[in-house]
Amino acid sequence: MRHGMVNRKLGRTSAHRNALFRNQLSSLIDRERIITTLPKAKELRPQIERLITIGKTDNVHNRRQVFRVVADETLVAKLFDTLGPRFADRPGGYTRIIKIGPRRGDAAETAIIEFVGYELKIEEKPEEPVKGKKAAPKKEAEPVEEEQEAAEEEKPKKKKAPAKKAAPKKKEKPKEKPKKKAPSKKKK
């Protein structure tokens, strides 16, 4: 009989499965969005929603309950300080799962699990002309050189010490090229 066989085993032992979900929970709390396989995302959803519900009310008991699962003080603090208050008015459904298609290597169905209201942060890079990259540093380097020259002119110049007589240099012999060996004759 199949009574009570609710969760997916994911081809792992129970200890491995628990470690996997603890790592994914901490990554999801930290980054607020992770990409994983669809079965893992579906198994992760009830666990993170349970933690968010606990994180709505901040007290020592709840913090200890979350710490048993996450075991990182900064992530527990983020859960109670930012994520809990963010979803305080929401009765449930704090995450969404978005299917993104098969993975290239093994064709496993992948998905994004993220918090509702998550906004992707896009960093805009300043546009630089391709041709101007080499010319720009030279222009910046010239004023620096001029400042150094001006600073040197202001300082009193010290007299140079008389140069010591150097020992006569030995003449180097030109390197000879290795001689080629004569081809050996093969015996019949």
Side-chain angles (χ1 to χ4, degrees), residues 23-25 27-29 31-36 44 111-114:
N23 287 331
Q24 285 194 331
L25 285 170
S27 295
L28 185 59
I29 292 170
R31 298 185 187 100
E32 298 185 12
R33 176 185 199 187
I34 59 171
I35 298 173
T36 184
L44 187 66
I112 298 173
I113 182 167
E114 65 183 9

Side-chain angles (χ1 to χ4, degrees), residues 51-58 62 79-80 83-85 87-92 94:
L51 289 181
I52 296 293
T53 304
I54 292 171
K56 285 182 178 183
T57 56
D58 188 7
N62 288 350
L79 183 69
F80 282 94
L83 296 177
F87 298 115
D89 298 333
R90 194 176 184 94
Y94 314 115

Side-chain angles (χ1 to χ4, degrees), residues 103-160:
R103 190 162 51 194
R104 185 173 179 180
D106 59 354
E109 191 67 29
T110 55
I112 298 173
I113 182 167
E114 65 183 9
F115 290 119
V116 175
Y118 173 81
E119 294 180 16
L120 186 62
K121 299 173 185 173
I122 300 173
E123 297 178 7
E124 294 182 14
K125 296 179 181 177
E127 295 180 14
E128 295 180 6
V130 177
K131 295 180 181 177
K133 285 185 179 180
K134 293 181 181 178
K138 290 180 182 177
K139 291 179 182 177
E140 293 174 2
E142 290 174 2
V144 174
E145 291 174 4
E146 292 174 3
E147 291 174 5
Q148 289 177 352
E149 291 174 5
E152 289 176 3
E153 290 174 4
E154 293 175 2
K155 294 179 183 177
K157 294 183 180 179
K158 295 181 180 178
K159 293 181 182 177
K160 293 183 180 179

Side-chain angles (χ1 to χ4, degrees), residues 3 10 16 18 35 40 47 59 68-69 77-79 103-104 107 114 132 137 167 175:
H3 299 308
L10 301 173
H16 188 182
N18 289 337
I35 298 173
K40 288 179 194 171
Q47 296 178 20
N59 58 35
R68 279 192 312 183
V69 178
K78 181 177 180 180
L79 183 69
R103 190 162 51 194
R104 185 173 179 180
E114 65 183 9
K175 295 181 181 178

